[in-house]
Amino acid sequence: MPSRTYSFDEAADKLAQYISKHSRIVFFGGAGTSTESGIPDFRSQDGIFAEQQVYPHAPEIMVSRPFYDRDPEMFYTFYRDKLIHPEAKPNVGHYVLAQLEQQGKLQAIITQNIDGLHQAAGSKEVIELHGSVHRNNCLSCKKSYPLATVLESASVIPHCSACGGVLKPDVVLYGETLNEQVIANAVRYVQHTDLLIIAGTSLSVQPAASFAQMGSQAATIIINRTSTPFDHEADAVFHHSSGLLLEAAFKRI
């Protein structure tokens, strides 16, 4: 049961030691891993869900499938404003993870994020639990489109150039179920890891919480600015910025 508070340098040293002696590392990241790239998270005090209400409905409502079906114009207005960040670039944490993968130490990244920054940094084995803004599908003919199609659409609601159907981002909205094959792939990696690094997530929702439990046979590190329900089960908990801490640890390996 971790009981001590680590300074940044102590945390970097200890994280470097864990990374050095493990070779089947799995990284599980939440919205906090992208805040250093300028993308706001959801549930923190500065997150999207805590913002002063400027829309006619709560964010949780507007990013739900029923709302998308009922009012796609308002959905896309909110989606473009709050969930798409084309200007965002990978931060140091993304690049460190890509380097660890290239070295053969990191087996996979499991992410709750939809921004595609892990791939932009060069990571290959990225399991996107909630989909990606970079994939958009026509609900009628199933043709796929890149993010540019949504950004460059002359109308608020982007349409398929082939059949005129409405496009939907390949993002799991509230009220939709996660892809079973994607979940199974993530579970497989978590069950076979020797070091599970959990970062930038409060572990307050599923399947994040279950992943933390599945990795109980492996060494587990939690990097998050605030406490999580699983801190007492981790081998070490670091309340620091995940990107900067990963960078500092990588330099010590």
Side-chain angles (χ1 to χ4, degrees):
M1 175 178 178
S3 57
R4 61 168 296 183
T5 299
Y6 294 91
S7 69
F8 184 84
D9 284 336
E10 290 173 333
D13 287 339
K14 195 167 186 65
L15 179 57
Q17 293 169 12
Y18 273 99
I19 293 175
S20 295
K21 66 181 182 181
H22 292 89
S23 58
R24 300 194 315 278
I25 304 171
V26 170
F27 181 88
F28 176 71
T33 62
S34 288
T35 54
E36 291 170 72
S37 294
I39 299 178
D41 62 11
F42 288 88
R43 293 178 173 82
S44 74
Q45 62 180 7
D46 298 317
I48 293 173
F49 288 175
E51 288 186 357
Q52 183 177 358
Q53 192 68 38
V54 295
Y55 287 92
H57 306 282
E60 300 95 319
I61 298 297
M62 289 187 289
V63 291
S64 70
R65 181 57 190 263
F67 189 83
Y68 166 85
D69 291 333
R70 182 172 71 252
D71 192 347
E73 184 169 349
M74 179 57 70
F75 166 86
Y76 267 110
T77 299
F78 180 81
Y79 177 73
R80 281 193 178 91
D81 187 27
K82 298 298 182 182
L83 298 184
I84 301 178
H85 302 274
E87 75 292 341
K89 304 296 182 185
N91 61 57
V92 289
H94 293 111
Y95 286 113
V96 167
L97 294 172
Q99 289 178 283
L100 289 173
E101 183 186 47
Q102 291 169 10
Q103 294 177 358
K105 294 184 72 67
L106 181 69
Q107 303 302 299
I109 293 170
I110 304 169
T111 180
Q112 295 174 291
N113 298 333
I114 59 176
D115 50 47
L117 292 181
H118 285 296
Q119 292 92 329
S123 293
K124 304 299 182 185
E125 187 63 11
V126 181
I127 301 170
E128 298 171 312
L129 297 178
H130 296 157
S132 173
V133 299
H134 295 278
R135 300 186 298 269
N136 302 273
N137 305 313
C138 174
L139 292 179
S140 299
C141 72
K142 310 306 179 185
K143 183 177 179 180
S144 296
Y145 292 87
L147 176 59
T149 301
V150 174
L151 295 175
E152 298 167 4
S153 172
S155 61
V156 175
I157 304 172
H159 291 83
C160 175
S161 60
C163 74
V166 176
L167 302 189
K168 178 188 176 295
D170 186 14
V171 170
V172 180
L173 304 177
Y174 283 98
E176 296 183 315
T177 58
L178 300 180
N179 183 289
E180 291 184 4
Q181 185 175 351
V182 171
I183 294 297
N185 196 21
V187 168
R188 177 173 61 85
Y189 275 114
V190 171
Q191 291 179 333
H192 291 88
T193 184
D194 61 2
L195 173 61
L196 178 62
I197 301 176
I198 301 171
T201 173
S202 63
L203 294 175
S204 59
V205 297
Q206 295 292 354
S210 62
F211 287 150
Q213 294 172 307
M214 286 176 202
S216 60
Q217 299 304 310
T220 303
I221 302 294
I222 294 178
I223 309 171
N224 200 53
R225 290 189 175 278
T226 58
S227 300
T228 81
F230 294 91
D231 285 2
H232 66 286
E233 298 181 22
D235 292 273
V237 177
F238 306 132
H239 295 301
H240 298 287
S241 161
S242 61
L244 294 178
L245 187 61
L246 282 166
E247 180 188 38
F250 188 72
K251 291 179 178 178
R252 288 162 163 80
I253 297 174

